[in-house]
Amino acid sequence: MPHTETPGTEAVPATRMRWWTELPLILLVYACYSAGRLVVRGDVSDAVDHGLALLRIEKALYLNAEHPLNRLFTREPWIGIPADFWYASLHYLVTPALLVWLFRSRAVRYRAARTWLMTSTFIGLIGFTLLPTCPPRLLDPSHGFVDTMAHYSSWGWWGGEASAPRGLGGMTNQYAAMPSLHVGWALWCGVILWKYGRGRWARTAAVVYPLVTTLVVMGTANHYFLDALAGAAVMGAGYLLAPYVTRYADVVKARFRIGATAVPAVSSGTDAAIVSDGCQTSAGERIPRQRQPESRYGAGPGASPTDAGEEARAPAR
C-alpha cells in the first residue's frame, strides 16, 4: 500500500519558499517569547506555587523521577556535565539543522514540518504566559534539587542563571517550565528523522534523542516529568492543528493576490469610461466627431462633408 501523508500537511506550496520569507517567522516567535517573558516577570510567587503544585501531584501519583535523576547527575560529573551540554546546546542545534535539511531537500516536507513546529511552539508560548511555572532548580534548596547548570558552570559556556551564555541569563524566561519545549522539539526531531531519515542510524536517533532529552531535562532539574508530558501533548495538538493552519494561510494568500490583481483592472475600466465621457461613436468614426477619410468617393483630407459624399449611402458589403 503506498505511503500517504496526513491530509492538508503535504500541500504543494503555491510559490517557492525563500529564506528571507521564513526568517520573519522565526523573529515573530522570538518576539512572542520575549513578550511572554516580560509578562511573567512579576509573577514569581505564582510560578513557585505552580511548581510546587506539580511536585505534589507527581508525588501523589508516584511519578517523582526528578529527585533520583538529579542526585545521580550531581554525584557523577561524567554524567552531569555531558547532560548539561546536551541541554544547553542540542536544543538550539538539532532542530534548526533538521529545518535547513528539509528546506534544501524538499519544500513540501519543509512547509508541513515547519507549520507543525511553529503551531506547537505558539501553543507552548501561550502555556508559558498563562501558567508560569518555577522549574525544580529554582525552588528552595529544602526541596532537594540541585541546579546542575550552576553546579557545573565552570565546565561550560553557560552561566549560573540559565542555559544561556554567560551574561545573557536575563534574556531567558526562567519560569517557562510548563510545557517543556525541549522535550516537544526533541519529539518533533524524532518524528522527522523517523519519517524522512535514511538508514538504521536515523531510526535509532529518532528514538534515542527524545528519550535522552526527557531524562536530561529532569536530571538537570530544569523540568518536571509533567512538563515533559505536556511538551509531548503540545506537539500532538500542533500536529492536529497544522493542516487547518496551512489551509487558512493559503486562503489568506489567495485573497491577498486577488485583491492585488483587481486594482489595475478597475483603474483601466475607469479610464476607459472617462475617455468616452458619455459620447457615442457613429459608424466610420475613430473617436467622437472625427471621421475617417473616404478616399473611394474622391474626398481629400480637407474636403467638405458634401464633397466627401456625406449624404451618399454606403455600399452594401
Side-chain angles (χ1 to χ4, degrees), residues 17 135 186 278:
M17 294 185 176

Side-chain angles (χ1 to χ4, degrees), residues 84 137 146-155 158-162 220:
D84 286 339
R137 65 183 181 85
V146 175
D147 186 354
T148 62
M149 302 294 295
H151 187 67
Y152 297 119
S153 60
S154 60
W155 290 83
W158 57 86
E161 299 173 294
T220 57

Side-chain angles (χ1 to χ4, degrees), residues 66-90:
E66 299 90 337
H67 276 110
L69 285 173
N70 184 242
R71 287 193 293 267
L72 176 64
F73 284 26
T74 305
R75 184 177 63 251
E76 303 293 342
W78 64 276
I79 298 178
I81 294 175
D84 286 339
F85 274 100
W86 185 293
Y87 181 85
S89 303
L90 296 188

Side-chain angles (χ1 to χ4, degrees), residues 56-303:
R56 287 193 295 268
I57 294 174
E58 289 186 0
K59 289 182 178 180
L61 298 176
Y62 300 98
L63 297 175
N64 185 21
E66 299 90 337
H67 276 110
L69 285 173
N70 184 242
R71 287 193 293 267
L72 176 64
F73 284 26
T74 305
R75 184 177 63 251
E76 303 293 342
W78 64 276
I79 298 178
I81 294 175
D84 286 339
F85 274 100
W86 185 293
Y87 181 85
S89 303
L90 296 188
H91 181 60
Y92 307 103
L93 296 177
V94 177
T95 308
L98 288 178
L99 279 174
V100 172
W101 172 60
L102 289 175
F103 184 85
R104 293 175 61 88
S105 63
R106 188 179 177 188
V108 176
R109 295 176 179 176
Y110 168 79
R111 189 191 187 201
R114 180 259 288 159
T115 303
W116 174 23
L117 181 65
M118 299 287 283
T119 304
S120 303
T121 300
F122 270 109
I123 297 175
L125 293 179
I126 295 174
F128 295 160
T129 304
L130 298 181
L131 190 65
T133 304
C134 179
R137 65 183 181 85
L138 295 182
L139 293 176
D140 189 89
S142 61
H143 294 284
F145 291 102
V146 175
D147 186 354
T148 62
M149 302 294 295
H151 187 67
Y152 297 119
S153 60
S154 60
W155 290 83
W157 47 265
W158 57 86
E161 299 173 294
S163 61
R166 286 187 175 88
L168 300 180
M171 298 180 65
T172 63
N173 182 1
Q174 300 196 61
Y175 300 102
M178 170 63 78
S180 172
L181 286 185
H182 270 77
V183 174
W185 284 20
L187 180 61
W188 177 89
C189 293
V191 173
I192 296 301
L193 286 172
W194 187 273
K195 290 181 64 176
Y196 304 124
R198 295 180 180 179
R200 184 176 300 176
W201 70 269
R203 293 294 180 93
T204 303
V207 176
V208 171
Y209 182 58
L211 291 179
V212 174
T213 300
T214 303
L215 297 177
V216 164
V217 299
M218 292 190 295
T220 57
N222 279 283
H223 289 282
Y224 306 94
F225 179 71
L226 290 180
D227 295 341
L229 290 182
V234 162
M235 297 308 296
Y239 182 81
L240 295 177
L241 292 176
Y244 301 98
V245 174
T246 301
R247 283 194 285 268
Y248 179 76
D250 290 340
V251 170
V252 172
K253 290 180 181 179
R255 291 180 178 178
F256 178 78
R257 293 192 187 96
I258 292 175
T261 56
V263 174
V266 173
S267 61
S268 61
T270 305
D271 293 340
I274 293 176
V275 170
S276 64
D277 199 21
C279 299
Q280 296 181 354
T281 303
S282 60
E285 293 179 345
R286 293 181 179 178
I287 60 175
R289 311 309 304 165
Q290 179 178 344
R291 293 186 176 276
Q292 298 177 350
E294 300 288 345
S295 59
R296 69 176 63 185
Y297 295 105

